[in-house]
Amino acid sequence: MQPTVDYIQSRFDEYNTRYFGGSLPPVPIKLSHARTFLGKVTFVRHRTWLFGAVRNEKFVLRINTRFDLPEELIEDTILHEMIHYFIAVNQLRDTSAHGKLFRSEMKRINAEGNRHITISYRLSTISQLMEASQNPAAPKAGGVE
Ligand SMILES: [Zn+2]
């Protein structure tokens, strides 16, 4: 399927309530046609002049619609990006882009929701998944590394 903004918004609202206690502020959602990512959270790191503190702002949640992907993979991609958003919007520190904090949130949500969120999807994986989605006997989307 190729998700619409309304679809992504309804998933965002559902997952926000279910996995983040409704704590995530609303975020603009944009559809992307990029070849290089399935989802992305972009924001501006704003350095306040007073104490040199950094505040993240102008968040946008981008979800790819170039590929016709299995719904479960789209849902897991939205969740993956929501973890990035959770960390960035709360100005939390992590050890790397997908560091300890990211991984512990990913594990928590995978366990609570029986999801299959992973750290990254390479484009070769995407094409495998696209083939798999047309073959009901193939492994489930999201279970592939
Ligand atoms: Zn990521």
Side-chain angles (χ1 to χ4, degrees):
M1 71 177 285
Q2 275 144 318
T4 61
V5 169
D6 282 351
Y7 173 88
I8 298 162
Q9 183 68 61
S10 73
R11 285 295 179 273
F12 179 92
D13 292 342
E14 180 192 330
Y15 297 153
N16 188 17
T17 304
R18 190 163 169 189
Y19 300 116
F20 298 94
S23 69
L24 297 179
V27 62
I29 292 167
K30 293 202 173 149
L31 305 178
S32 164
H33 224 235
R35 290 176 188 279
T36 50
F37 63 86
L38 290 185
K40 199 176 229 178
V41 173
T42 57
F43 55 89
V44 177
R45 296 171 75 85
H46 178 77
R47 190 172 282 276
T48 59
W49 64 271
L50 193 52
F51 300 111
V54 173
R55 203 178 62 226
N56 301 331
E57 53 190 24
K58 295 185 183 146
F59 289 93
V60 180
L61 171 61
R62 297 173 198 276
I63 298 293
N64 199 301
T65 55
R66 173 181 284 273
F67 310 102
D68 184 10
L69 298 170
E71 184 168 12
E72 188 186 350
L73 178 56
I74 293 165
E75 291 173 339
D76 287 343
T77 299
I78 294 168
L79 279 164
H80 178 115
E81 300 313 321
M82 287 178 74
I83 298 171
H84 282 306
Y85 181 50
F86 166 76
I87 291 170
V89 84
N90 290 303
Q91 324 281 339
L92 302 175
R93 277 172 189 270
D94 203 352
T95 50
S96 65
H98 299 111
K100 281 184 185 167
L101 179 56
F102 187 98
R103 284 159 201 255
S104 76
E105 284 298 299
M106 185 176 82
K107 268 189 185 169
R108 175 180 68 82
I109 295 170
N110 278 341
E112 284 177 20
N114 191 25
R115 309 283 338 175
H116 304 90
I117 312 163
T118 64
I119 293 299
S120 71
Y121 292 101
R122 293 190 184 85
L123 287 180
S124 61
T125 309
I126 296 173
S127 57
Q128 278 170 23
L129 287 166
M130 288 173 72
E131 280 173 31
S133 72
Q134 286 156 16
N135 175 3
K140 247 188 157 181
V144 183
E145 284 289 337

